[in-house]
Amino acid sequence: MISMSILKVEIDAIHNKTKGALDKTYELSMNPPTSRLLPLCLKSCINNYNAILESKQRILNAISMGDANELSMELSHNMEDVFACEEEFNKAKIESPITELNSLLVKIITNSLTIDVNMTNV
């Protein structure tokens, strides 16, 4: 089924972009902080990105089993992890240095959710 292979490509894209965001976050955390709260925000984002990476196998299993509910739940959790990362910066009242990366991740996850919805409606 075409949508299944497209969905797997999207999942790989989420994984790769998350790895890129994780690398960038680690890089930022190595530089002297402009705010004492920045390292705490970045640490939270690192934890959230790791959670997204850890969910990849569960997502692939859900795709293989045709479990649309599990797939949707995992992708929604990924979205929540990205939002939680950005929220840390909002709460600390500092500008997120990774907003662009997070926006791109949200777009890819949203695409995956859309494919998932289309897959379940077929």
Side-chain angles (χ1 to χ4, degrees), residues 53-67:
L53 294 176
E54 289 166 12
S55 76
K56 182 181 182 185
Q57 193 55 54
R58 292 190 300 274
I59 290 171
L60 292 175
N61 291 345
I63 293 170
S64 297
M65 294 186 300
D67 188 342

Side-chain angles (χ1 to χ4, degrees), residues 73-110:
M73 188 177 74
E74 287 294 334
L75 289 170
S76 294
H77 284 147
N78 285 353
M79 187 85 79
E80 288 168 18
D81 286 329
V82 177
F83 289 146
C85 171
E86 279 299 307
E87 185 57 28
E88 287 299 316
F89 293 102
N90 290 337
K91 285 194 289 191
K93 293 182 175 44
I94 54 177
E95 189 177 333
S96 169
I98 50 179
T99 296
E100 235 175 81
L101 287 169
N102 285 332
S103 293
L104 186 55
L105 261 174
V106 166
K107 284 178 187 165
I108 298 169
I109 296 168
T110 301

